[in-house]
Amino acid sequence: MNKLFKKLLITATAILLVICYSTSVFAAGFDINNDNTVNVNDVTFLQNEISNFSDNTDYDLNNDGKLDVNDVSYLQIEISKSSLENNTQINISCTEYKKNVGDTFTVSVDTNNNVNEITYSSSDSSVAKIVATDKHSVKIKANKVGNATVTVKQCRETVTAKIKVEKARCVDLSEWNGDIDFNKVKKSGVTCVILRAGYGKDDNQEDNKFNEYYRQAKNAGLNVGAYWYSYATTIDAAKAEVRNCMKTIRGKEFDLPVFLDVEEYRQAVLPRRTLTDIISTFCDGIKGYGFDVGMYSAKSMLVDSAYPDELASKYLIWMATPNNSYNELPSFVDIHQYSWTGRVDGISEKADMNYIYNLNY
């Protein structure tokens, strides 16, 4: 036996003595000594076969057409891999989560196996959507009221996290709300804010507080969205509002959609087809820049002046109906503005209050 061959065999045997794992479930062909287990004894058996110049192709484990020390190394790797797989242990940071619609959160994963892939799945992606993963974490977006289970799997080991998602309390704000303490807003139980970015199609119509509100709300850990107040009565005007809106929101990162606010009388008296197309033009335009989109309007205007079912099939619907409960609203409503006179700690003026139930198109 040459020195290199002997050295490789000794190394392989020493490693296997440390990590060997006896089992009867290894792939057929590795139990080459037929003792119903795969361990270091199979390596010894293979060594002897090679030393005796056996030409039994059943022992050509790496299928390279010859029997040599490379088959010993191959057997070592397979035993090591199977040992690692069968001894895998995974844990997650928490097994139960209670979140609000709009929240994005991370579940940390610990594993003693840094070789095999970890997979993640959600029992209901409309409730708990997996948005990013890596070796040690999974990022989840709570998108709808409901319950879901996120499963983390590596080899044959699985762990689960139960996710309960509840409606989100939200305020929508503009410069008319004055100075705001967003930390107090967050502590009051509000988790989301939708900020007026601006209005119309002309220059210099950005909301004077938008950038300030955006920065402070983000720093307070609130989920942020935006809306653009529309005056458009033609398709061309809607396209101009898209361009104007994008001047303001470009480069911003939102947790909630960008909404078109439609409530002008001049729009309510348009033909239903015309108003529906105006809304679609704006929403599709903003969506084309990578933003989630939706529309806001009063119930009477949306139902009487547009085609709500058509719009609801493509965009989120935010409806103002302070005199109705959510259960009384059409089934396509995703966000309910239930009050125009709310009081929230951190906001001195009366505020518009909303509940967010769903963020899925």
Side-chain angles (χ1 to χ4, degrees):
M1 185 184 297
N2 64 52
K3 291 183 178 179
L4 176 59
F5 178 67
K6 185 175 182 180
K7 183 176 181 181
L8 286 170
L9 289 180
I10 291 172
T11 300
T13 302
I15 294 173
L16 287 169
L17 284 172
V18 175
I19 66 171
C20 70
Y21 179 79
S22 296
T23 180
S24 60
V25 297
F26 282 82
F30 294 152
D31 180 19
I32 57 178
N33 66 351
N34 296 314
D35 65 354
N36 295 318
T37 61
V38 178
N39 56 25
V40 70
N41 294 326
D42 293 286
V43 175
T44 301
F45 182 89
L46 184 57
Q47 291 172 0
N48 292 332
E49 291 298 313
I50 294 173
S51 298
N52 292 329
F53 300 102
S54 171
D55 59 359
N56 188 338
T57 57
D58 290 342
Y59 304 144
D60 179 18
L61 302 182
N62 64 353
N63 295 311
D64 65 352
K66 54 187 177 181
L67 185 63
D68 57 19
V69 68
N70 292 323
D71 295 290
V72 175
S73 298
Y74 185 85
L75 180 59
Q76 168 204 335
I77 292 170
E78 291 301 321
I79 293 176
S80 175
K81 184 192 301 182
S82 297
S83 174
L84 183 62
E85 291 177 359
N86 283 280
N87 286 286
T88 292
Q89 295 180 351
I90 53 175
N91 297 285
I92 56 177
S93 52
C94 183
T95 59
E96 293 188 10
Y97 291 84
K98 184 177 179 181
K99 296 294 179 178
N100 297 104
V101 175
D103 288 346
T104 300
F105 59 102
T106 298
V107 178
S108 299
V109 179
D110 291 321
T111 176
N112 64 346
N113 179 347
N114 289 316
V115 176
N116 294 92
E117 180 186 9
I118 298 178
T119 61
Y120 305 90
S121 60
S122 173
S123 64
D124 190 339
S125 293
S126 69
V127 174
K129 182 180 180 181
I130 294 172
V131 294
T133 64
D134 59 31
K135 191 69 175 180
H136 294 290
S137 66
V138 52
K139 184 179 289 187
I140 301 166
K141 177 74 177 288
N143 270 345
K144 186 178 75 173
V145 172
N147 297 283
T149 299
V150 170
T151 299
V152 183
K153 183 176 182 180
Q154 187 178 40
C155 300
R156 289 178 293 176
E157 293 297 307
T158 61
V159 290
T160 59
K162 294 181 179 180
I163 316 296
K164 181 179 177 61
V165 180
E166 298 183 339
K167 64 185 179 183
R169 193 163 174 245
C170 174
V171 293
D172 59 274
L173 303 167
S174 72
E175 61 188 64
W176 308 113
N177 293 100
D179 293 333
I180 296 174
D181 186 330
F182 283 93
N183 290 310
K184 287 184 177 180
V185 172
K186 178 71 180 293
K187 290 178 181 178
S188 75
V190 170
T191 61
C192 299
V193 295
I194 304 176
L195 309 175
R196 188 179 74 159
Y199 53 94
K201 63 182 178 62
D202 298 325
D203 292 336
N204 303 316
Q205 291 184 317
E206 177 182 301
D207 188 288
N208 290 325
K209 286 284 191 177
F210 174 65
N211 284 298
E212 175 188 330
Y213 283 173
Y214 174 86
R215 183 180 65 257
Q216 293 176 351
K218 282 284 189 178
N219 289 340
L222 289 158
N223 298 316
V224 179
Y227 73 91
W228 193 262
Y229 190 95
S230 177
Y231 292 100
T233 56
T234 66
I235 298 299
D236 286 343
K239 291 178 180 178
E241 289 190 346
V242 170
R243 293 191 293 270
N244 207 21
C245 178
M246 285 307 305
K247 290 178 183 178
T248 300
I249 69 172
R250 193 186 302 273
K252 300 286 195 300
E253 294 184 3
F254 295 112
D255 313 284
L256 308 173
V258 177
F259 295 90
L260 180 66
D261 181 348
V262 180
E263 53 184 287
E264 285 288 303
Y265 177 76
R266 70 185 76 177
Q267 295 170 318
V269 297
L270 293 170
R272 295 178 74 179
R273 181 74 268 156
T274 300
L275 182 57
T276 301
D277 289 345
I278 286 170
I279 294 168
S280 295
T281 297
F282 181 91
C283 289
D284 290 344
I286 298 297
K287 189 175 182 179
Y289 287 96
F291 293 96
D292 291 334
V293 292
M295 67 151 300
Y296 165 92
S297 190
K299 181 180 179 181
S300 59
M301 184 166 184
L302 178 61
V303 172
D304 297 336
S305 301
Y307 292 115
D309 291 334
E310 177 183 330
L311 294 169
S313 70
K314 300 185 293 183
Y315 319 117
L316 291 175
I317 302 298
W318 175 15
M319 183 177 284
T321 56
N323 298 319
N324 295 100
S325 68
Y326 181 70
N327 292 333
E328 296 173 316
L329 302 184
S331 60
F332 54 70
V333 175
D334 303 298
I335 304 175
H336 179 205
Q337 188 178 78
Y338 65 89
S339 175
W340 296 326
T341 58
R343 290 292 185 181
V344 177
D345 193 23
I347 304 175
S348 58
E349 301 295 327
K350 294 178 182 179
D352 295 340
M353 304 300 301
N354 310 270
Y355 282 126
I356 303 177
Y357 294 87
N358 174 57
L359 292 177
N360 298 291
Y361 289 122

